Amino acid sequence: MSLLADLQNINLSVSTEKIIAEYIWIGGSGNDLRSKARTLSGPVTDPAKLPKWNYDGSSTGQAPGEDSEVILYPQAIFKDPFRRGDNILVMCDAYTPGGEPIPTNKRFNAAKIFSHPEVAAEVPWYGIEQEYTLLQKDVSWPLGWPVGGFPGPQGPYYCGIGADKAFGRDIVDAHYKACLYAGINISGINGEVMPGQWEFQVGPAVGISAGDELWVARYILERITEIAGVVVSFDPKPIKGDWNGAGAHTNYR
């Protein structure tokens, strides 16, 4: 396993100018994230200079099987905290080969609104509080909870510390630092009311960048929990009954 880790952490810049770009997009459910990687000839910092790409939309619930090609338009670039170096994460939206936004592409209309001169003049600031729940992978039960059972009542867990109150802090801190590395304006984290539940805050971010940063922050969290063998859920009510729900509260200034 140490050799595998060594290979994953190879610094490409010592042997090539090529970089890896991970193209990210939102899948057919409107909640799932998808990504695929490609090699570029050198570092890129402007999304307009990135090539468009395609994918099989019939495999993501975004196109019929007989006409499945969907085109990715790069919209925002972030540093890749997993591959590091000059490698990048690229937030994209999706279009038909004819250039029409596909039905699940909500960014297209949002970008038109935020680019309107009257809207841009307002410099709309957003702060988004994203709550989420960490689940044990094989049983889909919150991290730190006894399998098939329940922890003590809510009360001590919110912003709590200690092995009996905070579950998954290593994942949360890894995500925090990875987002800062990527260039996401993540402004804080905290434990939430339900044990196994956490929150991170993105912002202040202006206009359409708030959405791009939030989605890439979610992507990074999904990747980190994948490595940790834990499932992240953004379900608004992951556990029925008198247990705290999870949301993405949006503040506007």
Side-chain angles (χ1 to χ4, degrees), residues 8-227:
Q8 286 179 312
N9 294 322
I10 286 175
N11 181 359
L12 295 177
S13 65
V14 301
S15 61
T16 179
E17 294 182 355
K18 294 179 179 179
I19 68 156
I20 301 171
E22 190 79 25
Y23 281 45
I24 303 165
W25 71 96
I26 301 167
S29 71
N31 295 312
D32 60 312
L33 284 161
R34 309 288 179 127
S35 74
K36 58 190 291 193
R38 68 180 298 165
T39 305
L40 301 177
S41 59
V44 181
T45 58
D46 181 355
K49 295 182 179 179
L50 287 167
K52 295 174 184 175
W53 206 9
N54 65 340
Y55 68 92
D56 175 12
S58 68
S59 298
T60 63
Q62 294 173 293
E66 66 274 11
D67 187 17
S68 63
E69 186 177 30
V70 180
I71 310 300
L72 293 171
Y73 286 31
Q75 299 294 354
I77 291 175
F78 299 85
K79 294 171 65 177
D80 187 339
F82 304 102
R83 297 186 176 107
R84 304 184 190 177
D86 290 324
N87 303 301
I88 54 176
L89 304 176
V90 183
M91 190 66 210
C92 305
D93 58 355
Y95 297 78
T96 68
E100 295 296 320
I102 65 172
T104 54
N105 180 356
K106 308 303 182 184
R107 190 187 188 282
F108 175 78
N109 284 328
K112 287 200 299 184
I113 292 170
F114 283 118
S115 64
H116 189 284
E118 292 182 8
V119 176
E122 293 293 328
V123 192
W125 282 22
Y126 291 91
I128 304 174
E129 305 169 42
Q130 176 66 72
E131 295 171 331
Y132 61 93
T133 308
L134 298 174
L135 304 176
Q136 302 169 58
K137 182 169 69 74
D138 296 327
V139 293
S140 296
W141 202 237
L143 200 65
W145 290 35
V147 177
F150 296 88
Q154 295 176 150
Y157 309 109
Y158 174 70
C159 297
I161 58 171
D164 59 341
K165 303 179 190 72
F167 309 112
R169 190 184 296 277
D170 53 346
I171 292 171
V172 174
D173 279 348
H175 175 249
Y176 195 176
K177 290 184 176 180
C179 284
L180 287 171
Y181 178 93
I184 293 166
N185 194 24
I186 183 170
S187 52
I189 59 167
N190 61 267
E192 263 302 332
V193 175
M194 188 178 80
Q197 189 180 74
W198 295 82
E199 174 183 298
F200 66 88
Q201 300 93 34
V202 167
V206 178
I208 196 72
S209 66
D212 291 336
E213 292 186 33
L214 179 66
W215 277 106
V216 175
R218 288 174 175 173
Y219 173 83
I220 291 172
L221 182 57
E222 292 261 22
R223 287 283 305 276
I224 290 173
T225 52
E226 173 189 321
I227 293 167

Side-chain angles (χ1 to χ4, degrees), residues 237 239-244:
K237 191 65 175 175
I239 303 297
K240 295 179 180 179
D242 191 23
W243 295 98
N244 195 56

